[in-house]
Amino acid sequence: MVAAAALAFALTGGPAFAENVGRWECHTGYGENDRIIVPEGRAISGHIQFVDGVIGPDRMPRAEIALRVEVPPGEGGCGCTGLLAFLVPKPEGGLKVQFEVHGNGNAEPFAQAKPGVPITFRVAVKDGVLTISMGKTDPVTKTLRLRYPPAGPLNVSCSGANVVFSDLELE
C-alpha cells in the first residue's frame, strides 16, 4: 500500500517524482475503479500486464491509459481518449486482452494479447495530438489529432480487473 501511495504521489509531480517511477498494481472488484494521474504534459511508457478480471452482466474488466476531452454539450459521448484494454471472451473459449484506441468519438481495435503477458506501451498527448505505440519487437503506432482539447492529464486506471503497470517512465 505504501508503494502504491508513493507512486501515486510521484506521478502527481510531488517531491518524490523520479523519471523512472517503476510499478503500479491495480486491483479492483466488479464496478470499482482505481487510478493514478500522470503530470500534465507528460508522456508515459512501460509495460501493461492484464492479469485477470471479473466479467459481469454490464461491464467488462478494463484498464486504460487515457484522458478526457472537453466534448461540447449536446454532442454526447464520454470523451474517453487514449489506450483502453478489455478482458474479453474468445469465440473459441478462453480469454484475450483487446486493446483499442479511443478518440474523437471512435473506438478502433489496435492489438490483442494473452492475459498475463506484459506488453510494451507508450502514450503521449502533445499539441492536441495523441500518439500511442505498442509492442517491442515490431511496435505499432497510432497518431490521432484530437478534435477537442484535453480536459485534464492522462490517467492510468483499471476497473474490475487486476492489472500490473511496470517499468513505468515519464517523459
Side-chain angles (χ1 to χ4, degrees), residues 35-83:
R35 71 182 178 139
I36 55 177
I37 299 171
V38 177
E40 193 92 31
R42 302 300 297 269
I44 187 166
S45 62
H47 295 94
I48 178 173
Q49 179 181 355
F50 214 114
V51 179
D52 61 21
V54 180
I55 297 176
D58 301 328
R59 301 169 192 231
M60 300 302 273
R62 167 181 100 227
E64 55 184 72
I65 303 135
L67 54 85
R68 301 294 180 255
V69 294
E70 297 176 12
V71 177
E75 206 163 302
C78 72
C80 307
T81 301
L83 179 64

Side-chain angles (χ1 to χ4, degrees), residues 3-166:
L7 179 59
F9 185 65
L11 284 174
T12 57
F17 174 78
E19 290 303 307
N20 184 349
V21 294
R23 178 182 181 96
W24 182 62
E25 296 186 19
C26 188
H27 305 287
T28 58
Y30 183 75
E32 297 174 355
N33 295 288
D34 196 7
R35 71 182 178 139
I36 55 177
I37 299 171
V38 177
E40 193 92 31
R42 302 300 297 269
I44 187 166
S45 62
H47 295 94
I48 178 173
Q49 179 181 355
F50 214 114
V51 179
D52 61 21
V54 180
I55 297 176
D58 301 328
R59 301 169 192 231
M60 300 302 273
R62 167 181 100 227
E64 55 184 72
I65 303 135
L67 54 85
R68 301 294 180 255
V69 294
E70 297 176 12
V71 177
E75 206 163 302
C78 72
C80 307
T81 301
L83 179 64
L84 280 69
F86 300 91
L87 186 63
V88 297
K90 295 192 301 190
E92 64 276 8
L95 298 171
K96 68 179 177 181
V97 180
Q98 176 68 49
F99 292 94
E100 298 177 355
V101 174
H102 285 233
N104 297 333
N106 299 312
E108 180 181 320
F110 190 58
Q112 295 181 7
K114 294 178 183 177
V117 175
I119 305 296
T120 301
F121 75 88
R122 181 180 183 276
V123 178
V125 178
K126 184 175 181 178
D127 300 327
V129 176
L130 170 69
T131 304
I132 298 174
S133 297
M134 291 194 70
K136 183 175 182 176
T137 306
D138 295 312
V140 179
T141 300
K142 172 79 174 171
T143 301
L144 179 68
R145 174 154 300 282
L146 301 178
R147 192 172 16 202
Y148 307 112
L154 285 166
N155 291 274
V156 178
S157 67
C158 80
S159 177
N162 293 311
V163 181
V164 175
F165 296 91
S166 60

